[in-house]
Amino acid sequence: MAGFSSSRALSSSSLLLIFLLFSFSEAREILVGGKTGSWAIPSSESQSLNKWAESTRFRVGDTLVLKYDSAKDSVLRVTKEDYANCNVSNPIEQHKDGETKLHLDQPGPFYFISGTKGHCEKGQKVIVVVMTPRKHYGISPAPSPAEVDGPAVAPTSSATSLQGGLLVVAFGIFALGLF
């Protein structure tokens, strides 16, 4: 009977480990602006893509998706200086396919502007700030404003992440038969 109990615990532990690995490495595809056609000149300041970006958490591994009319527009990834000056002449990356997918491969700010003359000056641009991956599972303090180069990201309640952590603990206790 002891062999059955230990093999059950071993397989439960294996399932828990697999569950934890997948739950902490989930990359997402994020539609810029939350809807098709958002890569456009905003109709007002409240419709600015930076307002949207400030309320969205971006992680290393996420992919931004921009959908637009490729005959009339493009997306340029630029430096901070070129973003501020709407300079389209020296992009880091240039995309003209109408459904651009941009992989966020490192923490920090990413600057994007429209490649169409005059669009950036009218507000068609966005700064996406990618969060630094956590190196531990505890709750860490928010970075100081001096550490983040870009728009402020609105804080969110840690209750959501705590609920997820409690779910994992409860699942682990249940899976190991300790409850």
Side-chain angles (χ1 to χ4, degrees):
M1 193 69 166
F4 175 73
S5 177
S6 64
S7 66
R8 181 177 155 218
L10 181 60
S11 66
S12 295
S13 297
S14 298
L15 286 173
L16 178 62
L17 181 61
I18 291 168
F19 175 76
L20 288 173
L21 288 173
F22 283 109
S23 67
F24 289 112
S25 63
E26 186 179 319
R28 308 167 294 164
E29 279 199 356
I30 302 169
L31 184 59
V32 171
K35 60 186 179 206
T36 300
S38 293
W39 186 246
I41 297 170
S43 57
S44 67
E45 180 63 30
S46 66
Q47 298 297 311
S48 161
L49 287 176
N50 280 327
K51 293 284 186 196
W52 167 81
E54 289 169 3
S55 66
T56 306
R57 294 278 178 146
F58 302 98
R59 299 183 303 232
V60 172
D62 287 347
T63 300
L64 294 179
V65 179
L66 295 98
K67 296 183 178 186
Y68 54 92
D69 182 348
S70 62
K72 298 178 182 177
D73 213 340
S74 64
V75 179
L76 307 180
R77 179 175 170 209
V78 295
T79 64
K80 180 180 179 180
E81 295 78 22
D82 287 344
Y83 176 89
N85 298 315
C86 291
N87 181 7
V88 299
S89 65
N90 191 27
I92 297 168
E93 296 175 21
Q94 182 174 6
H95 304 275
K96 301 177 181 182
D97 59 0
E99 188 167 335
T100 299
K101 293 188 177 189
L102 303 163
H103 186 68
L104 303 174
D105 59 354
Q106 63 188 28
F110 286 77
Y111 301 91
F112 301 101
I113 63 174
S114 169
T116 302
K117 187 174 175 93
H119 284 206
C120 176
E121 292 83 357
K122 294 177 182 173
Q124 189 178 348
K125 57 186 182 174
V126 65
I127 301 171
V128 170
V129 179
V130 178
M131 296 172 30
T132 301
R134 291 189 177 173
K135 292 183 172 68
H136 55 83
Y137 297 109
I139 298 173
S140 62
S144 70
E147 292 179 51
V148 178
D149 189 15
V153 177
T156 60
S157 169
S158 61
T160 304
S161 62
L162 289 176
Q163 288 172 350
L166 291 175
L167 177 64
V168 170
V169 170
F171 179 75
I173 291 171
F174 177 75
L176 294 174
L178 299 175
F179 196 82

